[in-house]
Amino acid sequence: MDPVIIVGAGPVGLTLALALARQEVPSVVLDEGPGKDEPRPARTVVLREDTTALVERLTGTRLADLGVHWAGWRSLRRKQVMREVTFGTPDEPAPLHIAQHVLTGALRQALAGERLVKIAVDSRLDGIEQEPSGVTAHTRGPKGTWWRGSYLVGCDGPRSTVRKLQDIRFPGRTAVERHAVAALRTELPWGGEALLHRMPPWRTSGPSGGEVTGRPLPDGAWRLDWLLPPGKDLVTPELLLARVRETLSGWTGGGTPSYELLDTGVHTVHHRLARRWRKGRILLAGDAAHLLGALGTQGLDEGLRDADNLAWKLALTWHHGPHEALLDSYQAERRGAVATRLRAADQVLPLLRGGGGLRAYVPGAARGNDALLTDGHLGHGVLGAPGAYAASPLAPRHLEGEVPVDTPFGAPVDDVRVTAEDGTFVGLRERLGRGALLVVLVAPGTGVWDRKHWVTAGIMPRLAAAVAALPHPAELLVAESYPGAAAHTVLLVRPDGHLVTSLNGVRPADLYAAAEAALGGPAKAQTSTTEAGAAAGSR
């Protein structure tokens, strides 16, 4: 079967290529650039715990060695500390701050020895032809080439050529927020803590009196972002240097400390959402499908989740034949999750950026606004938390033995310690991304015994038989405990780490029904609402 064509060699496209390779699916990555990225210290990304784990699992690289896990978070309003958070606990994992070119470099390095991935540099897409049996893409460059693929995924950014060639609308809002950005090396009083300072006492103009964010990077460097007033006023070097000096002197309480300016820029945030994420054998992911980022939210996080969601579905389809319901679920799940975050941000923006009015006199309003902003920056609540797929078309229905645990159905599972089939102890997330379903038995006390002593005892033989009979390969794991789960609870987890269901004991019929639902139903080609437009889209 033909490889999957991935258009775009940014973090999302490279992550998708690696995720497919881990599931024995070949791909061709069309990179319009020379195969390396220009270092830009001011262009950084913040990854949450789940997306950090995803990249580390795929690359085998400890990202903390390339970026910085924040030690804490501090919110200030004028001179008052509104909130302080200490990271590093199970309840408060530390976000990772890393330069985007460093992240992309780690992904490229992991792909360098990958036999199933070909990266075609200096290859700019300019045509796509789609047929029921596959996709053909044409690139121009030093060697204009036709590429044949089974599917094509557009990971080619906000100005996506794939999206435009398929005539997919990309409605939304332009310049929701603008930030002046500087990366510099200096010493600040907060060490490894990130901070958000609203209405700093040295600023009296701008939205809500001004707002500046400081986030640490490796080697004593920082990224500072200043929220700019609405409009298109030019950010001159003089204006930016003035912001740097007044901010550093304000934070250190004296004259401007010494600093080394590394990079500058202007970051403009747009909010857009593609109408369709799938058109037959052509799909969109990352910035080609959505743009978000106001109020501290991170668009790359969602792009990496797109890749994680899509990879196992494409892999199953590539190996076992067309499965339209499964591929359609990618758009339903991921577009729904991003749309929820966009709606939340658009509803909150007027409250946080309107300034003045009655809200300024409402007791607790400032603290409530700060909490909303902190949610976006730290990955909490509707603004920042990973999306759950409770309403997914892959969710099972009417399971008699279903019982709730602390993880909602459709949400990412906790990274508890489990015993693998070879008897080793690993984190649950380490077993993700291999294309298999995971079945986790909660069995207190098993951790003190070798697996060989209990694998044939109690309910294990019956559960092992039920797992072997599932309609898709599954790995049986055992956990001493899981939040909110009683002994002998059985969890079914998707290859991308989202909880399908939890059952009170060994229930082979329920387990089979849940697994079949998670795979989109019986493995056969089905009529697809997205397939119907494929022929028209390829003409």
Side-chain angles (χ1 to χ4, degrees):
M1 191 172 178
D2 294 318
V4 174
I5 299 173
I6 299 171
V7 183
V12 175
L14 298 178
T15 297
L16 179 59
L18 273 173
L20 288 172
R22 296 294 181 266
Q23 297 170 70
E24 296 297 316
V25 176
S27 63
V28 174
V29 180
L30 303 182
D31 183 357
E32 70 176 43
K36 59 181 179 180
D37 299 274
E38 176 189 2
R40 286 295 311 275
R43 190 178 186 190
T44 65
V45 295
V46 178
L47 302 183
R48 313 303 179 200
E49 183 188 25
D50 62 321
T51 48
T52 300
L54 167 65
V55 176
E56 289 184 334
R57 185 170 70 244
L58 292 174
T59 62
T61 301
R62 188 173 179 268
L63 293 185
D65 296 334
L66 306 176
V68 167
H69 279 295
W70 298 341
W73 169 267
R74 182 182 301 234
S75 297
L76 299 94
R77 188 171 186 268
R78 296 190 177 94
K79 296 182 179 181
Q80 180 183 3
V81 176
M82 304 292 289
R83 185 174 179 185
E84 290 185 274
V85 177
T86 300
F87 294 127
T89 67
D91 293 333
E92 206 61 76
L96 177 85
H97 192 203
I98 186 171
Q100 183 164 318
H101 71 271
V102 173
L103 174 64
T104 305
L107 291 163
R108 286 188 185 275
Q109 185 175 358
L111 283 165
E114 182 49 67
R115 63 181 176 81
L116 291 174
V117 180
K118 174 182 176 61
I119 299 181
V121 300
D122 298 317
S123 298
R124 184 177 180 84
L125 180 77
D126 64 1
I128 301 174
E129 294 181 3
Q130 182 172 183
E131 306 163 8
S133 60
V135 181
T136 305
H138 184 265
T139 55
R140 67 173 186 263
K143 299 178 181 178
T145 308
W146 287 98
W147 302 88
R148 180 67 179 175
S150 52
Y151 292 88
L152 184 147
V153 186
C155 305
D156 49 342
R159 297 180 176 86
S160 170
T161 301
V162 174
R163 190 185 64 240
K164 293 173 183 176
L165 288 174
Q166 295 305 298
D167 196 26
I168 296 174
R169 294 185 60 203
F170 198 40
R173 301 172 60 197
T174 301
V176 175
E177 288 184 349
R178 292 172 69 235
H179 297 260
V181 182
L184 49 89
R185 186 172 287 113
T186 191
E187 187 173 340
L188 291 176
W190 300 286
E193 292 185 2
L195 71 150
L196 170 69
H197 200 162
R198 304 189 72 204
M199 302 182 69
W202 60 87
R203 296 290 301 169
T204 58
S205 61
S208 302
E211 180 177 303
V212 58
T213 307
R215 289 171 282 195
L217 284 163
D219 302 322
W222 290 78
R223 170 173 166 168
L224 306 186
D225 291 61
W226 294 269
L227 179 65
L228 296 172
K232 298 182 179 179
D233 294 341
L234 183 65
V235 180
T236 64
E238 293 77 16
L239 173 65
L240 191 53
L241 286 175
R243 291 285 178 96
V244 169
R245 290 170 182 146
E246 70 179 6
T247 300
L248 295 183
S249 61
W251 281 346
T252 56
T256 304
S258 61
Y259 67 92
E260 177 188 359
L261 192 61
L262 304 174
D263 191 19
T264 62
V266 175
H267 174 52
T268 303
V269 176
H270 309 287
H271 279 180
R272 294 188 178 277
L273 187 64
R275 292 287 190 196
R276 302 173 67 177
W277 289 29
R278 182 185 178 212
K279 200 168 185 179
R281 290 178 175 266
I282 298 171
L283 304 104
L284 301 176
D287 286 352
H290 52 77
L291 294 175
L292 69 163
L295 308 179
T297 57
Q298 297 291 321
L300 181 59
D301 251 3
E302 295 295 1
L304 295 177
R305 292 178 185 128
D306 294 346
D308 198 23
N309 184 289
L310 181 57
W312 72 273
K313 297 173 181 178
L314 270 180
L316 192 149
T317 302
W318 194 90
H319 286 296
H320 301 288
H323 205 318
E324 301 305 329
L326 188 63
L327 291 182
D328 281 345
S329 74
Y330 165 67
Q331 172 175 309
E333 291 180 346
R334 292 301 308 141
R335 191 178 187 277
V338 175
T340 297
R341 286 186 66 177
L342 281 172
R343 281 194 299 270
D346 284 342
Q347 290 168 359
V348 169
L349 266 169
L351 175 67
L352 295 180
R353 303 301 189 217
L358 180 61
R359 295 188 191 94
Y361 301 95
V362 176
R367 190 168 297 277
N369 291 354
D370 176 77
L372 288 170
L373 267 174
T374 297
D375 278 353
H377 280 279
L378 302 189
H380 298 162
V382 293
L383 283 180
Y389 309 139
S392 167
L394 305 183
R397 305 287 188 267
H398 312 302
L399 300 179
E400 183 180 342
E402 198 166 63
V403 292
V405 294
D406 286 357
T407 301
F409 298 138
V413 292
D414 285 13
D415 190 26
V416 298
R417 191 179 81 152
V418 296
T419 307
E421 292 184 343
D422 61 3
T424 58
F425 295 107
V426 297
L428 179 55
R429 285 201 180 113
E430 291 184 37
R431 312 308 290 181
L432 301 175
R434 302 168 182 231
L437 296 169
L438 302 181
V439 177
V440 183
L441 170 66
V442 179
T446 52
V448 300
W449 301 98
D450 287 340
R451 185 181 176 104
K452 63 183 180 180
H453 293 308
W454 46 259
V455 72
T456 57
I459 64 173
M460 280 296 291
R462 186 163 175 247
L463 179 58
V467 170
L470 292 178
H472 186 73
E475 182 178 8
L476 177 56
L477 306 167
V478 178
E480 281 256 11
S481 64
Y482 189 88
H488 295 171
T489 299
V490 175
L491 312 177
L492 179 64
V493 183
R494 299 185 347 176
D496 59 353
H498 288 254
L499 180 64
V500 178
T501 189
S502 50
L503 304 171
N504 60 345
V506 181
R507 293 176 172 265
D510 280 352
L511 190 62
Y512 189 97
E516 190 173 62
L519 302 172
K524 61 181 180 180
Q526 303 168 35
T527 302
S528 166
T529 56
T530 52
E531 190 73 43
S538 63
R539 292 187 186 125

